[in-house]
């Protein structure tokens, strides 16, 4: 029997998945919650074999949740689900160690088979999501990525300048260019977008 925990902030979808997956002979849903923190707080954590995590949740998102869970217990498996197949997200999910990646419109029966495959050690990536991920190039320069990476780490503009040995004005120019290329509201939004696309 595969013990599964589901984290998704869409209550109707989550409860439907719980009910449908519980009908599977090979799967038992041992818990569910509306965000990443709920998955991290589940007790006892060692009863879960596979976590099914929504990519976009309030607070701790699916990728950060997966990274924390896998750092705590490398033996568990992660299946990520998403409504919006944004380019680069697949790379981010695989980088943290997720072994399954499917859209939210995946039928519960197919999701059950994906869970079984992932539990058996096989990676599963939805083909449409894979095509999307492979077909998008990063528009940012390496220096723009550097300043966004440090922004994501909570560094101020002056700290970024110090870390990269650049003038304040140069850092501001890199940030401004990155914000414009990504259509972001500010440097923090730009850093978040670059992270979500898997570029930093």
């Amino acid at each position: 029997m595969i013990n599964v925990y589901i984290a998704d902030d869409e209550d109707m979808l989550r409860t439907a998945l719980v009910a449908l997956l519980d009908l599977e002979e090979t799967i038992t849903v041992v818990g569910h919650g509306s965000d990443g923190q709920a998955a991290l707080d589940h007790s006892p954590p060692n009863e879960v074999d596979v976590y099914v995590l929504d990519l976009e949740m309030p607070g701790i998102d699916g990728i950060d949740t997966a990274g924390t869970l896998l750092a705590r217990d490398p033996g568990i498996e992660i299946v990520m689900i998403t409504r919006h197949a944004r380019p680069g997200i697949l790379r981010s999910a695989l980088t943290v160690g997720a072994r399954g990646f499917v859209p939210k419109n995946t039928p519960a029966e197919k999701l059950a088979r994906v869970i079984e495959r992932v539990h058996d050690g096989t990676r599963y990536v939805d083909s449409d999501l894979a095509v999307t991920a492979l077909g998008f190039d990063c528009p940012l320069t390496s220096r723009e990525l550097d300043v966004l990476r440090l922004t994501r780490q909570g560094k101020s503009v002056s700290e970024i300048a110090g870390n990269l040995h650049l003038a304040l004005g140069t850092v501001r120019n890199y940030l401004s260019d990155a914000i414009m290329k990504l259509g972001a509201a500010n440097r923090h939004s730009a850093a978040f977008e670059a992270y979500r696309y898997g570029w930093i």
Side-chain angles (χ1 to χ4, degrees):
M1 191 65 71
I2 304 170
N3 291 338
V4 172
Y5 185 97
I6 302 171
D8 193 310
D9 63 325
E10 295 184 50
D11 291 340
M12 186 178 296
L13 175 65
R14 186 180 74 252
T15 53
L17 279 179
V18 169
L20 292 170
L21 289 177
D22 258 342
L23 296 175
E24 296 287 331
E25 293 183 358
T26 58
I27 292 172
T28 297
V29 179
V30 295
H32 62 94
S34 61
D35 56 28
Q37 191 61 54
L40 296 175
D41 291 342
H42 176 74
S43 183
N46 60 359
E47 79 171 345
V48 180
D49 300 311
V50 178
Y51 286 87
V52 176
L53 304 176
D54 183 8
L55 183 71
E56 298 187 58
M57 296 183 285
I60 307 173
D61 68 14
I63 290 177
D64 286 342
T65 302
T68 302
L69 288 168
L70 286 164
R72 190 168 70 187
D73 181 2
I76 55 103
E77 303 291 354
I78 305 288
V79 174
M80 305 291 292
I81 57 175
T82 182
R83 187 172 300 285
H84 307 290
R86 298 168 64 188
I89 289 178
L90 171 59
R91 185 164 53 247
S92 296
L94 296 177
T95 297
V96 298
R99 297 187 62 84
F101 200 77
V102 297
K104 279 195 175 184
N105 62 1
T106 301
E109 183 178 350
K110 182 176 179 181
L111 178 59
R113 305 292 80 80
V114 171
I115 290 170
E116 290 170 352
R117 288 180 61 175
V118 167
H119 183 255
D120 288 340
T122 303
R123 179 175 289 166
Y124 178 87
V125 178
D126 177 80
S127 58
D128 289 338
L129 299 183
V131 168
T132 300
L134 292 172
F136 192 81
D137 294 325
C138 176
L140 304 174
T141 67
S142 60
R143 267 312 194 195
E144 288 164 357
L145 291 172
D146 287 340
V147 297
L148 291 182
R149 188 175 296 109
L150 291 172
T151 297
R152 172 97 178 138
Q153 294 172 10
K155 305 289 187 186
S156 67
V157 174
S158 60
E159 288 174 325
I160 294 171
N163 283 12
L164 298 178
H165 307 290
L166 297 172
L168 280 173
T170 303
V171 170
R172 289 193 182 100
N173 287 339
Y174 283 134
L175 289 170
S176 178
D177 289 345
I179 290 167
M180 183 183 66
K181 288 177 181 179
L182 297 178
N186 53 49
R187 68 187 181 97
H188 298 289
S189 296
F192 180 74
E193 289 302 307
Y195 168 75
R196 298 295 260 168
Y197 282 118
W199 299 326
I200 60 174

